[in-house]
Amino acid sequence: NLQAEVMELKASPKGPASGTVVESQMEVGRGPTATVIVQQGTLKVGNAIVCGESFAKVRAMMDDNGKNVKSALPSTPVKIMGWSDVPSSGDEFSVVKNEKTAKSIIEERILERKREASVEEEEEPKKPATIETLFEAIEKTRKKVFKVVVKCDVHGSTEAVTDILEAIQSDKVDLQVISAEVGGISKQDVDLASTSDAAVIGFNVKLESGVAPIAKHAGVKIMQFNIIYEMVDKVMEAMADQLEPELSEKTVGSAEVRQLFPVGRTTVAGCLVSDGKITRDANARVLRKGSQIFKGRISMLKRFKDDVKEVRNGYECGVQIADFGDFEEGDVIECFEIVKSRASL
């Protein structure tokens, strides 16, 4: 700037305006807006401009103090209203003849992009099938996919949130962003998520009116955040929920076999509960000299002659285990429960 002042280098305010988008967003009541810096020429209300695959008939402009202005000279930042869609931050804009010309340019750009994508797809060489690629394909079909529809308050946030989500690494679950746009969470977002079996992630945005009951009816999960690290933690939890829960055994009590009582074709073990509690109908394992010899279910539990639901530490009891009767004195009966926990990524 100092060098420009000394050398009296200034952008010309004459001719059609051009410049760069600094920030863009979807504002309630205003629609798509974008803050731009004019770098050449003078931008005026009523001008038609194109930017990437968006265009605008400049409906209104505001300066950095929020005051409406009718024109903007070079080096002037202004917020523009009247966009067809939210333009991308960093894209260059330029004034064109009229709105019809702007629409025509945008349509041609969209068509050109689609043509290029189609050509790239056709030109991509097909790899010959090998055992490795076959196993790779099988692994991909087994791997879970957590799909998300992303909605953010401003374009810069959309790009950042998408990059952060796609950087989450997991050997068991892939994360796929199927859409990332600016604006509040709408019925269309819920419809897209429902048809794609995806969740909706909102960052610094609210739900539009009536969206919550529609999402609930469609079974679409909506996750709203305004702090990045909270978003990452919750999304990883949601990814882990795609997996079958991990099962583990938790010992709740143990008893030592002190005496044997033959009953019909089986045997009842007279025990002393040495730790925790023994519960009727619970899972149990029989340990002999530290090694498991049987695993089954406690089918009967008695205190003296009475059937009971549980016997706690320090009390004697009679234990019968379904399909097992080969107890020996000194065996240990461990009572355990199956605990489900969220699978790790």
Side-chain angles (χ1 to χ4, degrees), residues 60-80:
M61 291 192 298
M62 291 190 299
D63 63 16
D64 50 4
N65 293 316
K67 182 181 177 182
N68 283 320
V69 293
K70 291 186 178 181
S71 63
L73 297 171
S75 301
T76 306
V78 284
K79 179 182 282 189
I80 298 173

Side-chain angles (χ1 to χ4, degrees), residues 23-26 86 89 150-166 177 179-183 203 205:
E23 186 58 276
S24 57
Q25 59 189 333
M26 181 72 75
V86 180
S89 302
V150 175
K151 293 301 289 286
C152 297
D153 55 341
V154 295
H155 195 275
S157 295
T158 306
E159 293 178 346
V161 166
T162 301
D163 288 345
I164 289 166
L165 290 175
E166 289 180 339
V177 178
S179 172
E181 295 180 355
V182 173
F203 190 79
V205 292

Side-chain angles (χ1 to χ4, degrees), residues 6-42:
V6 170
M7 299 179 68
E8 296 185 354
L9 298 176
K10 293 183 179 180
S12 172
K14 295 179 181 179
S18 61
T20 305
V21 174
V22 177
E23 186 58 276
S24 57
Q25 59 189 333
M26 181 72 75
E27 294 188 38
V28 178
R30 287 178 176 168
T33 67
T35 300
V36 307
I37 289 186
V38 179
Q39 293 169 310
Q40 191 73 31
T42 300

Side-chain angles (χ1 to χ4, degrees), residues 47 55 100 103 120-121 126 128 152 156 215 253 268 270 281 295 322:
N47 281 162
F55 71 89
K100 184 179 178 182
K103 288 180 180 178
E120 284 178 7
E121 191 173 322
K126 292 184 178 179
C152 297
V268 174
D281 294 325
K295 184 188 286 188

Side-chain angles (χ1 to χ4, degrees), residues 98-114:
N98 52 38
E99 191 173 0
K100 184 179 178 182
T101 304
K103 288 180 180 178
S104 177
I105 291 171
I106 296 307
E107 287 172 3
E108 181 56 37
R109 287 180 179 178
I110 293 172
L111 283 172
E112 182 62 27
R113 173 174 57 80
K114 289 180 178 178

